């Protein structure tokens, strides 16, 4: 804790004594909620979490959120009360309509659609249903099924995936980020919460953030960021570091809070080939306003110049040629059109979905190691050291070696950025480098 | 620090002034310890750590722990005092008999046995002794050897592996978790301490925890968990998040503290094929009681339903077939029975020991990315893209291509969950997905 | 916060009220700086960061650091003031000459040289310029170019690489660690800051630290380390855990602060084959003095004994043979001398540059998982499972199978530590292990 905060804290102490003094103001709670609490003392954790929440303060208790209406398919009779286990965004939206509407309109709410996409097919076919339930759906959201008695199908619950399809038809789970039963703004502003899903080989945003100056400063100044303030404007209420929320959701001078995480994203960095998003100019302008809370214009412009060139490199040098080469192999019958049964299928998939995303996320969020070693280096290695040799082998096996020759001619020898692959590194420069290394490491490095 | 704690802290301030006032109460310490301190001022760090410990408070000093008896093989004469460098669980057990006994009976204490297992052989043969010393043994524990003068063999010391075999024959190292010389309860309850060993490609429990809601909440509410309280019962003394210790060792309503980390584990998730542990029902019941401090029964039941199905998927679809296929290749003389000299040996080993563990740990501790991308996805990739092609190649090289045909017939074509591998993905669904992706990414995705 | 600190803090509170009372002492700031602030209110973040800095306290404002002299190539006329965007180590050195000189003489300042090394060639040729800009150069430093009007070329800026070549010819960027505009000692002492670059597959020092006892204790006692003290001597001002800075840069009893990060490094653990650094004995002696703040001599000696044997194992068993085998293949024309066009090129490169570094860093900083699983295990896998088979295949393709036989004879069969590869594991021991595993896992493990 900073010394200068002590004054404020000491002043607050008296007030705290008073507010703690009234302890548990049962009269503020509905009779139904009081009734819930009588039994649910046996799960002390969640009761106490809620007692620390703004909800408790506002007299919003168990029943206010969990009550169900007759006829709802997940309504269960629970000791005389009709309740539902799941509190959906529709329920939360009764008090928080703006937030619920923004979330409902966001890419986040659509995350459950993946269940019907290639990723879903991959999970279900190559993996298996139980792996989809415990893996994919814990982030993307399950389609929660109710059993005949209104209880939830254990194959689909528990689940707090951000794109969960709820029994009431609404999409999402507010507690994906505002974890129950404290539902804290502060907790949802922390980078860890995003790391439940935005982590790992194919979307390592958490790891990139941790490596970036933004993350470094966050961990240095975490306690000084006033993260529990209702008003939390970058550059006004805190200024030492942004969290994920700061750039993607929270307020900055001239920029309002949004629960639509895509509102400020001008590039689609997830697709095999990156393209600008719809209304990208507007979104970019909003993001730049956020940057401007702490960075001068030339800094921001320089950053985006470098990012744009990086994405172009990924697209033009690697993603598009890789895609076209594989397509050609399928068109010519060299590999099958059934996915993941040829080695090159796995290579191509990971090139864009894993390595290529790591590279682009690394560049977009200033994590140099992710941009390069986990990123373009791995993309290039997949391209030169796996995809091309696998294409060659497949052509040879199919009795069409000339097809590979054509590929090399068109995509490699015909392009200056790839010619080194067939013609070798510049010998003069290689020699210089050997001399440099010899001095640096006191040994030959070949 | 939370504002509400300030009241308490201000109240404690006066007391603190007094207790600090008596500073260093030399008279509480034995003469021997006072004698130690005279010289060991030159290592101020450990002295000050100890001054912050409960041991100092209790008058337990250097000599009380380090004194040795004549005839002990690690006893050294140190300026007139007979002392031992290592304070073993037997020594600690003089004051902490329950904890020492529980640890001694636990899987942790057996960790040193790995030195005589396949893992040990792998390390010593494929790696080499110095890698075993600095790698394996720093977690598993070394067999600490004494030299003729009672000092410790530097090839085996320093070492704080949890299964260390001490010169006095006792097994383990309390300071593996309660790091010397502060020996703090609080420090040992933090997840970082487990991460000294439970981390990495083959047992990433720390990474899984960080990704899980449990870990996310821990990092959000770390300062509110009262981790320095002697009594530390989930749901009573803290309720915002559990640490590793909470679920595996610490108290919950109706559940006592244990230093046997296996006491609540109902699955063996480390083995090639997972099986229930001995007395698994009892262990499961205990773990569920811990869960119940914060979770309702249907939540806990749903969680275990999903976990059990996940483990079954891993076992039945991947682990058992992989094991049988490799065994068949050995039985038929297609590959040698000497390990790690065929590519398929490495593939099979990593399939269960690395990827399969990641999957199972990810599922068991609610880390979706570890359950899927680092888990079953990698298991499936190893199975389809490496193990099967390597089996094929080995059969062909051995002049037994028909053996591979038999493998495919029995394990792949004969099983609905694997048929896609030879028959391709469902073409109708593939087409739907292409349409979905085309819309999502504004491009063809093949 | 520790209770015992409360007394001090309460005492400081009154003082804090007073010092905060004078709020913004405009009269301490130069007119030029006051002039800057009038407009730059629109970037509130950096202004407030600076207001929290020691610089503000000392009356060092925008203009004092950013002022430029006529004729400097990055000087720009900015509303009547001649300023430069980049504040270089030369500028910082006006007030901090010792620190600037030490940094200038360090390996850190030379990091930009990599741009002309093999790594640079790899990045530029295999990757591409934009990947080098966003990846390599964000750590190593760009050669910052100025445009005709004195503004900075966005292809080279923003950049805070530690070896940045500045427009004034100086090398480095103080804000690489002391992030602008707070320039905090405390922040630069935290391990996160080093993790901007010392992270990832080829130099995972951050990850190793986190796994080590040092890191575990840091995260347990972070708030008790007095990291904001100007005087920060290990064992005196803090004693619960060291950070990266503690061992490599900061003071210990008898050891002064240095900004030359190489001053205490006795091994070059980055090179293909590790060798002692220049003046390694002196450097080792200094490092051991730092260790001695908390560790007894036998502990330190044991640690270095194990480390030295580990490095020797890496060198002799893997690095040197791998290097010689690949060299032989080039000498005999089996593979080309153009890098990265043969699979074995990638294997060898990652063996020393990625896996071999992970192993050595893991051993040197006590991260057992990095020493073994991410380290020697991966080195051994690369050596036996990739490099040797690739050498065999290359020899066969080149019609020189006898060359591979010679390699095996000389490097494998001729050396006891490698003989298992051709002769298999010791069958007696394998059998014992199978029995052990059978008991442990209740199943056959092959």
């Amino acid at each position: 804790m900073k010394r200068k905060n002590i004054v404020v804290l000491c002043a607050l102490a008296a007030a705290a004594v008073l507010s703690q003094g009234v302890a548990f103001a049962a009269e503020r709670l509905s009779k139904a909620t009081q009734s819930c609490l009588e039994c649910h003392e046996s799960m002390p954790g969640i009761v106490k979490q809620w007692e620390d929440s703004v909800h408790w303060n506002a007299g919003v208790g168990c029943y206010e959120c969990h009550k169900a209406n007759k006829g709802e398919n997940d309504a269960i009779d629970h000791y005389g009360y009709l309740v539902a286990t799941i509190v959906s965004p529709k329920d939360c939206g009764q008090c928080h309509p703006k937030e619920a509407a923004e979330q409902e309109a966001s890419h986040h709410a659509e995350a459950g659609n993946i269940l019907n996409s290639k990723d879903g097919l991959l999970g279900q076919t190559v993996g298996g249903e139980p792996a989809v339930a415990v893996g994919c759906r814990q982030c993307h959201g399950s389609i929660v099924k109710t059993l005949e008695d209104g209880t939830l199908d254990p194959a689909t619950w528990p689940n707090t995936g951000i794109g969960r399809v709820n029994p009431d038809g609404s999409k999402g789970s507010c507690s994906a980020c505002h974890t129950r039963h404290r539902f804290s703004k502060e907790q949802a502003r922390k980078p860890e919460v995003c790391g439940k899903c935005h982590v790992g080989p194919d979307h390592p945003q958490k790891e990139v953030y941790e490596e970036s100056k933004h993350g470094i400063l966050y961990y240095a100044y975490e306690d000084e960021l006033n993260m529990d303030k209702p008003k939390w404007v970058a550059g006004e209420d805190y200024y030492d570091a942004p969290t994920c929320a700061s750039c993607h959701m929270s307020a900055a001078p001239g920029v309002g809070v949004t629960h639509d995480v895509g509102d400020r994203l001008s590039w689609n960095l997830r697709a095999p080939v990156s393209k600008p998003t719809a209304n990208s100019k507007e979104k970019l302008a909003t993001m730049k306003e956020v940057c401007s809370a702490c960075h001068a214009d030339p800094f921001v412009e320089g950053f985006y110049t470098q990012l744009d060139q990086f994405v172009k490199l990924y697209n033009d040098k690697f993603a598009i040629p890789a895609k076209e080469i594989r397509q050609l192999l399928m068109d010519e019958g060299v590999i099958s059109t059934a996915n993941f049964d040829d080695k090159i299928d796995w290579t191509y998939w990971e090139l864009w979905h894993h390595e290529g995303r790591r590279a682009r996320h690394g560049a977009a969020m200033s994590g140099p190691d992710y941009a390069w070693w986990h990123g373009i280096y791995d993309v290039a290695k997949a391209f030169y050291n796996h995809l091309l040799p696998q294409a060659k082998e497949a052509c040879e096996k199919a009795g069409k070696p000339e097809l590979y020759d054509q590929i090399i001619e068109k995509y490699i020898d015909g392009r200056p950025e790839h010619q080194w692959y067939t013609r070798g590194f510049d010998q003069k420069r290689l020699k210089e480098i050997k001399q440099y290394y010899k001095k640096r490491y006191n040994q030959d490095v070949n």
Side-chain angles (χ1 to χ4, degrees), chain A residues 84-99:
Chain A
T85 300
I86 285 183
V87 178
S88 78
K90 201 169 155 187
D91 299 319
C92 301
Q94 290 175 12
C95 295
H96 307 282
K98 176 177 178 290
E99 290 77 7

Side-chain angles (χ1 to χ4, degrees), chain A residues 73-251:
Chain A
N73 59 358
D74 60 340
I76 47 174
D77 178 60
H78 190 61
Y79 300 98
Y81 292 97
L82 207 61
V83 299
T85 300
I86 285 183
V87 178
S88 78
K90 201 169 155 187
D91 299 319
C92 301
Q94 290 175 12
C95 295
H96 307 282
K98 176 177 178 290
E99 290 77 7
E102 287 168 353
Q103 145 74 13
E104 186 87 13
S106 78
H107 183 71
H108 263 166
E110 300 296 323
N113 288 352
I114 199 82
L115 304 175
N116 297 311
S117 79
K118 180 184 248 176
D119 288 11
L121 181 54
L122 171 68
Q124 285 148 16
T125 309
V126 175
E129 266 300 310
V132 174
V134 172
C136 320
R137 287 190 189 126
Q138 295 301 328
C139 286
H140 286 276
S142 62
I143 300 173
V144 182
K145 299 270 168 57
T146 51
L147 303 180
E148 283 196 15
D149 62 355
T151 60
L152 306 177
D153 177 357
T156 64
W157 172 262
N159 186 284
T160 52
I162 195 98
R164 189 181 65 199
V165 181
N166 299 297
D168 65 9
S170 68
K171 289 190 284 187
S173 163
C174 301
S175 72
C177 306
H178 300 276
T179 309
R180 59 186 185 276
H181 281 92
R182 198 152 157 176
F183 310 108
S184 156
K185 271 193 174 65
E186 182 174 8
Q187 182 250 310
R189 285 167 177 161
K190 301 213 167 197
E192 281 82 8
V193 76
C194 307
K196 185 193 159 194
C197 300
H198 293 274
V199 75
D202 65 330
H203 35 39
Q205 286 102 333
K206 172 84 186 313
E207 295 94 326
V208 173
Y209 174 76
E210 286 184 355
E211 192 197 0
S212 75
K213 277 281 190 188
H214 288 164
I216 291 164
L217 293 173
Y218 171 74
Y219 290 106
Y221 296 116
E222 191 176 352
D223 291 342
E224 304 181 33
L225 299 180
N226 295 313
M227 296 183 78
D228 58 348
K229 282 192 69 172
K231 170 177 173 289
W232 197 60
V233 181
E236 288 180 15
D237 300 294
Y238 67 105
Y239 43 85
D240 279 308
T243 72
C244 312
S246 303
C247 300
H248 295 288
M249 303 181 78
S250 301

Side-chain angles (χ1 to χ4, degrees), chain A residues 246-250 255-256 262-266 283 286-287 290:
Chain A
S246 303
C247 300
H248 295 288
M249 303 181 78
S250 301
V255 180
D263 253 10
R264 304 169 189 171
L265 295 178
S266 48
K283 289 170 178 170
T286 310
M287 184 63 99
V290 179

Side-chain angles (χ1 to χ4, degrees), chain A residues 33 106 125 158 165 236 264 310-311 340 350 355 367 386 391 402:
Chain A
T33 287
S106 78
T125 309
V165 181
E236 288 180 15
R264 304 169 189 171
F310 185 96
V311 174
F340 295 105
E350 293 197 353
E355 297 131 15
H386 298 291
E402 73 288 354

